[in-house]
């Protein structure tokens, strides 16, 4: 006979230790925290996700990308998973952008450079050339990834506070002190929109000089005023000079 008033007992030894279910999933005492790929793959099945992706379903493409990265239905394949996430992001999936941005930024590292200490002559020149090529390749990959970072930054799903490495996206612009093309101008505009005064100032300079393919003094003046209100000293000096010369009201 079962006693309905009896207190249920639990096996604490079995529930205290979390059981790994995937890269982001753990089973805790009394609660399952499943990552989205595992949950979706169990409900739909990876094969059905593949069929839906072939039919142009961006949600299926996004989930399949996460499944591929996490190894839900086989060995993890980061390169293939990132490719699927980019495909879904290009189709307009904000969730794919968010997941992709976090994945890219969590593993953000600079290029591994060849050692130059103690080298001289031809050996030093070869090492320096190799490092220059590695830096250039890293810069191009960074610029390519930027298009998938700007949306999550603007939506607030990825922030500089959460991911300090996001500064590397436009550090080169800051070190150089000016914008050289449209992509870098876009980068400064996005960073300025989330509170970076110096990025706003650099974007204003770009609009004033026509760097990045845009030349508009009115936009430059508005951006300079915004950077001034953010507390940027050089922007304050620019606005004061422009007002003295009658260029802005």
């Amino acid at each position: 006979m079962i006693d309905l008033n009896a207190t249920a007992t639990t096996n604490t030894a079995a529930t205290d230790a979390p059981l790994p279910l995937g890269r982001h999933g753990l089973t805790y005492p009394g609660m399952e925290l499943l990552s989205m790929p595992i949950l979706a793959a169990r409900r739909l099945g990876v094969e059905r996700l593949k069929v839906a992706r072939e039919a142009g379903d961006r949600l299926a493409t996004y989930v399949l990308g996460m499944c591929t990265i996490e190894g839900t239905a086989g060995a993890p394949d980061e390169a293939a998973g990132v490719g699927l996430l980019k495909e879904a992001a290009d189709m307009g999936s904000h969730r794919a952008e968010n997941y992709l941005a976090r994945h890219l930024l969590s593993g953000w590292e600079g290029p591994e450079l060849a050692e130059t200490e103690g080298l001289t002559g031809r050996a030093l020149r070869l090492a320096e050339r190799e490092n220059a090529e590695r830096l250039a390749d890293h810069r191009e990959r960074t610029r390519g990834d930027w298009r998938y970072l700007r949306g999550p930054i603007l939506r607030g799903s990825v922030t500089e506070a959460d991911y300090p490495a996001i500064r590397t996206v436009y550090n080169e612009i800051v070190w150089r002190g000016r914008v050289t093309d449209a992509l870098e101008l876009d980068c400064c505009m996005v960073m300025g929109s989330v509170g970076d005064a110096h990025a706003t100032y650099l974007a204003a300079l770009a609009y004033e000089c026509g760097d990045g393919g845009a030349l508009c003094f009115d936009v430059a003046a508005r951006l300079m005023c915004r950077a001034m209100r953010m507390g940027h000293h050089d922007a304050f000096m620019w606005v004061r000079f422009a007002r003295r010369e009658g260029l802005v009201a």
Side-chain angles (χ1 to χ4, degrees):
M1 177 180 291
I2 300 175
D3 184 2
L4 299 178
N5 296 319
T7 302
T9 61
T10 58
N11 185 346
T12 57
T15 58
D16 286 344
L19 302 176
L21 295 177
R23 184 176 178 184
H24 305 297
L26 293 174
T27 301
Y28 286 97
M31 181 182 295
E32 279 192 339
L33 301 177
L34 297 177
S35 65
M36 174 66 179
I38 293 171
L39 186 59
R42 286 182 174 177
R43 286 180 176 176
L44 302 177
V46 171
E47 294 305 319
R48 289 178 61 190
L49 288 174
K50 291 180 179 179
V51 172
R53 179 220 166 192
E54 292 296 328
D57 190 312
R58 67 185 182 190
L59 177 60
T61 305
Y62 151 62
V63 175
L64 189 60
M66 291 192 294
C67 288
T68 305
I69 288 178
E70 297 190 2
T72 302
D77 189 337
E78 181 174 341
V82 167
L84 288 167
L85 289 173
K86 288 183 176 180
E87 181 181 327
D90 289 337
M91 294 164 70
S93 172
H94 286 177
R95 283 182 286 183
E97 276 189 346
N98 294 343
Y99 188 98
L100 182 60
R102 287 190 169 87
H103 182 78
L104 290 173
L105 291 172
S106 63
W108 204 282
E109 295 180 358
E112 183 177 349
L113 300 179
E115 184 62 49
T116 59
E117 186 177 355
L119 298 180
T120 59
R122 184 171 182 272
L124 177 61
R125 291 194 297 272
L126 288 174
E128 289 177 342
R129 186 172 64 183
E130 174 67 20
N131 287 341
E133 291 174 354
R134 293 182 185 182
L135 287 170
D137 179 66
H138 177 70
R139 178 175 182 268
E140 287 307 310
R141 285 188 286 109
T142 298
R143 290 162 63 86
D145 289 340
W146 168 250
R147 60 180 298 206
Y148 300 106
L149 300 175
R150 66 183 307 281
I153 293 169
L154 287 173
R155 291 193 296 272
S157 51
V158 173
T159 66
E160 182 188 340
D162 295 334
Y163 301 97
I166 204 169
R167 282 281 179 181
T168 59
V169 174
Y170 83 115
N171 261 352
E172 184 177 342
I173 309 170
V174 175
W175 292 333
R176 190 192 315 122
R178 62 177 298 177
V179 166
T180 60
D181 58 31
L183 187 144
E184 292 183 351
L185 175 57
D186 176 67
C187 178
C188 287
M189 290 292 289
V190 170
M191 296 305 294
S193 70
V194 294
D196 192 304
H198 191 58
T200 303
Y201 171 74
L202 291 173
L205 289 181
Y207 273 101
E208 181 189 17
C209 303
D211 296 332
L215 176 63
C216 183
F217 186 81
D218 290 341
V219 174
R222 289 199 297 270
L223 290 172
M224 279 295 182
C225 290
R226 184 188 302 171
M228 179 186 69
R229 289 192 293 270
M230 292 177 180
H232 197 283
H233 178 266
D234 290 345
F236 173 78
M237 299 299 294
W238 190 98
V239 172
R240 187 171 70 172
F241 174 81
R243 284 176 176 170
R244 188 171 65 229
E245 296 296 318
L247 299 174
V248 295

